[in-house]
PDB file of all heavy atoms in Angstrom:
ATOM      1  N   THR V 190     -25.614  11.045  -8.222  1.00 95.00           N
ATOM      2  CA  THR V 190     -25.224  12.440  -7.960  1.00 95.00           C
ATOM      3  C   THR V 190     -26.205  13.347  -8.711  1.00 95.00           C
ATOM      4  O   THR V 190     -27.162  12.872  -9.309  1.00 95.00           O
ATOM      5  CB  THR V 190     -23.798  12.751  -8.481  1.00 95.00           C
ATOM      6  OG1 THR V 190     -23.823  12.644  -9.914  1.00 95.00           O
ATOM      7  CG2 THR V 190     -22.742  11.829  -7.912  1.00 95.00           C
ATOM      8  N   GLU V 191     -25.873  14.635  -8.745  1.00 92.00           N
ATOM      9  CA  GLU V 191     -26.727  15.568  -9.500  1.00 92.00           C
ATOM     10  C   GLU V 191     -26.417  15.540 -11.001  1.00 92.00           C
ATOM     11  O   GLU V 191     -26.965  16.328 -11.763  1.00 92.00           O
ATOM     12  CB  GLU V 191     -26.505  16.999  -8.985  1.00 92.00           C
ATOM     13  CG  GLU V 191     -26.953  17.210  -7.557  1.00 92.00           C
ATOM     14  CD  GLU V 191     -26.399  18.502  -6.968  1.00 92.00           C
ATOM     15  OE1 GLU V 191     -26.202  19.479  -7.709  1.00 92.00           O
ATOM     16  OE2 GLU V 191     -26.142  18.512  -5.758  1.00 92.00           O
ATOM     17  N   PHE V 192     -25.483  14.689 -11.383  1.00 92.00           N
ATOM     18  CA  PHE V 192     -25.034  14.651 -12.780  1.00 92.00           C
ATOM     19  C   PHE V 192     -26.210  14.600 -13.757  1.00 92.00           C
ATOM     20  O   PHE V 192     -26.231  15.313 -14.754  1.00 92.00           O
ATOM     21  CB  PHE V 192     -24.134  13.426 -12.984  1.00 92.00           C
ATOM     22  CG  PHE V 192     -23.535  13.329 -14.356  1.00 92.00           C
ATOM     23  CD1 PHE V 192     -22.423  14.083 -14.689  1.00 92.00           C
ATOM     24  CD2 PHE V 192     -24.083  12.495 -15.318  1.00 92.00           C
ATOM     25  CE1 PHE V 192     -21.854  13.993 -15.959  1.00 92.00           C
ATOM     26  CE2 PHE V 192     -23.523  12.400 -16.583  1.00 92.00           C
ATOM     27  CZ  PHE V 192     -22.410  13.156 -16.901  1.00 92.00           C
ATOM     28  N   PHE V 193     -27.182  13.742 -13.469  1.00 85.00           N
ATOM     29  CA  PHE V 193     -28.303  13.559 -14.405  1.00 85.00           C
ATOM     30  C   PHE V 193     -29.297  14.720 -14.279  1.00 85.00           C
ATOM     31  O   PHE V 193     -29.642  15.352 -15.271  1.00 85.00           O
ATOM     32  CB  PHE V 193     -28.972  12.202 -14.156  1.00 85.00           C
ATOM     33  CG  PHE V 193     -28.024  11.054 -14.366  1.00 85.00           C
ATOM     34  CD1 PHE V 193     -27.367  10.467 -13.289  1.00 85.00           C
ATOM     35  CD2 PHE V 193     -27.742  10.578 -15.642  1.00 85.00           C
ATOM     36  CE1 PHE V 193     -26.465   9.426 -13.474  1.00 85.00           C
ATOM     37  CE2 PHE V 193     -26.844   9.534 -15.836  1.00 85.00           C
ATOM     38  CZ  PHE V 193     -26.202   8.965 -14.755  1.00 85.00           C
ATOM     39  N   SER V 194     -29.726  15.008 -13.039  1.00 84.00           N
ATOM     40  CA  SER V 194     -30.773  16.026 -12.854  1.00 84.00           C
ATOM     41  C   SER V 194     -30.286  17.409 -13.281  1.00 84.00           C
ATOM     42  O   SER V 194     -31.029  18.184 -13.879  1.00 84.00           O
ATOM     43  CB  SER V 194     -31.244  16.040 -11.403  1.00 84.00           C
ATOM     44  OG  SER V 194     -30.155  16.261 -10.551  1.00 84.00           O
ATOM     45  N   SER V 195     -29.009  17.731 -13.011  1.00 84.00           N
ATOM     46  CA  SER V 195     -28.518  19.079 -13.337  1.00 84.00           C
ATOM     47  C   SER V 195     -28.448  19.302 -14.856  1.00 84.00           C
ATOM     48  O   SER V 195     -28.342  20.425 -15.315  1.00 84.00           O
ATOM     49  CB  SER V 195     -27.145  19.318 -12.710  1.00 84.00           C
ATOM     50  OG  SER V 195     -26.196  18.514 -13.356  1.00 84.00           O
ATOM     51  N   GLN V 196     -28.504  18.203 -15.603  1.00 78.00           N
ATOM     52  CA  GLN V 196     -28.439  18.344 -17.059  1.00 78.00           C
ATOM     53  C   GLN V 196     -29.785  18.029 -17.713  1.00 78.00           C
ATOM     54  O   GLN V 196     -29.860  17.740 -18.910  1.00 78.00           O
ATOM     55  CB  GLN V 196     -27.349  17.431 -17.607  1.00 78.00           C
ATOM     56  CG  GLN V 196     -25.986  17.825 -17.042  1.00 78.00           C
ATOM     57  CD  GLN V 196     -24.868  16.929 -17.529  1.00 78.00           C
ATOM     58  OE1 GLN V 196     -24.222  17.220 -18.516  1.00 78.00           O
ATOM     59  NE2 GLN V 196     -24.669  15.827 -16.848  1.00 78.00           N
ATOM     60  N   GLY V 197     -30.832  18.053 -16.873  1.00 78.00           N
ATOM     61  CA  GLY V 197     -32.180  17.848 -17.393  1.00 78.00           C
ATOM     62  C   GLY V 197     -32.463  16.415 -17.816  1.00 78.00           C
ATOM     63  O   GLY V 197     -33.370  16.160 -18.598  1.00 78.00           O
ATOM     64  N   LEU V 198     -31.675  15.472 -17.274  1.00 77.00           N
ATOM     65  CA  LEU V 198     -31.896  14.065 -17.627  1.00 77.00           C
ATOM     66  C   LEU V 198     -32.637  13.360 -16.505  1.00 77.00           C
ATOM     67  O   LEU V 198     -32.557  13.768 -15.342  1.00 77.00           O
ATOM     68  CB  LEU V 198     -30.548  13.359 -17.807  1.00 77.00           C
ATOM     69  CG  LEU V 198     -29.690  13.779 -18.984  1.00 77.00           C
ATOM     70  CD1 LEU V 198     -28.329  13.121 -18.882  1.00 77.00           C
ATOM     71  CD2 LEU V 198     -30.377  13.396 -20.285  1.00 77.00           C
ATOM     72  N   SER V 199     -33.291  12.277 -16.863  1.00 75.00           N
ATOM     73  CA  SER V 199     -33.961  11.474 -15.847  1.00 75.00           C
ATOM     74  C   SER V 199     -32.894  10.791 -14.991  1.00 75.00           C
ATOM     75  O   SER V 199     -31.846  10.378 -15.491  1.00 75.00           O
ATOM     76  CB  SER V 199     -34.824  10.421 -16.525  1.00 75.00           C
ATOM     77  OG  SER V 199     -35.052   9.376 -15.636  1.00 75.00           O
ATOM     78  N   ASP V 200     -33.211  10.646 -13.702  1.00 70.00           N
ATOM     79  CA  ASP V 200     -32.284   9.995 -12.782  1.00 70.00           C
ATOM     80  C   ASP V 200     -32.359   8.476 -12.934  1.00 70.00           C
ATOM     81  O   ASP V 200     -31.626   7.748 -12.287  1.00 70.00           O
ATOM     82  CB  ASP V 200     -32.639  10.404 -11.349  1.00 70.00           C
ATOM     83  CG  ASP V 200     -31.407  10.638 -10.524  1.00 70.00           C
ATOM     84  OD1 ASP V 200     -30.301  10.607 -11.093  1.00 70.00           O
ATOM     85  OD2 ASP V 200     -31.558  10.849  -9.305  1.00 70.00           O
ATOM     86  N   SER V 201     -33.299   8.024 -13.767  1.00 73.00           N
ATOM     87  CA  SER V 201     -33.433   6.570 -13.897  1.00 73.00           C
ATOM     88  C   SER V 201     -33.030   6.101 -15.296  1.00 73.00           C
ATOM     89  O   SER V 201     -33.698   5.283 -15.903  1.00 73.00           O
ATOM     90  CB  SER V 201     -34.848   6.135 -13.551  1.00 73.00           C
ATOM     91  OG  SER V 201     -35.782   7.045 -14.059  1.00 73.00           O
ATOM     92  N   VAL V 202     -31.933   6.680 -15.781  1.00 79.00           N
ATOM     93  CA  VAL V 202     -31.381   6.253 -17.067  1.00 79.00           C
ATOM     94  C   VAL V 202     -30.977   4.776 -16.983  1.00 79.00           C
ATOM     95  O   VAL V 202     -31.109   4.019 -17.933  1.00 79.00           O
ATOM     96  CB  VAL V 202     -30.136   7.097 -17.419  1.00 79.00           C
ATOM     97  CG1 VAL V 202     -29.595   6.759 -18.800  1.00 79.00           C
ATOM     98  CG2 VAL V 202     -30.432   8.576 -17.309  1.00 79.00           C
ATOM     99  N   PHE V 203     -30.478   4.392 -15.815  1.00 87.00           N
ATOM    100  CA  PHE V 203     -30.046   3.014 -15.583  1.00 87.00           C
ATOM    101  C   PHE V 203     -30.911   2.413 -14.477  1.00 87.00           C
ATOM    102  O   PHE V 203     -31.500   3.157 -13.685  1.00 87.00           O
ATOM    103  CB  PHE V 203     -28.562   2.986 -15.152  1.00 87.00           C
ATOM    104  CG  PHE V 203     -27.653   3.626 -16.153  1.00 87.00           C
ATOM    105  CD1 PHE V 203     -27.144   4.906 -15.938  1.00 87.00           C
ATOM    106  CD2 PHE V 203     -27.323   2.970 -17.333  1.00 87.00           C
ATOM    107  CE1 PHE V 203     -26.324   5.511 -16.876  1.00 87.00           C
ATOM    108  CE2 PHE V 203     -26.495   3.576 -18.275  1.00 87.00           C
ATOM    109  CZ  PHE V 203     -26.000   4.838 -18.043  1.00 87.00           C
TER     110      PHE V 203
END
Side-chain angles (χ1 to χ4, degrees):
T190 66
E191 295 165 32
F192 184 80
F193 299 97
S194 57
S195 69
Q196 298 179 93
L198 293 172
S199 158
D200 219 7
S201 40
V202 184
F203 303 103

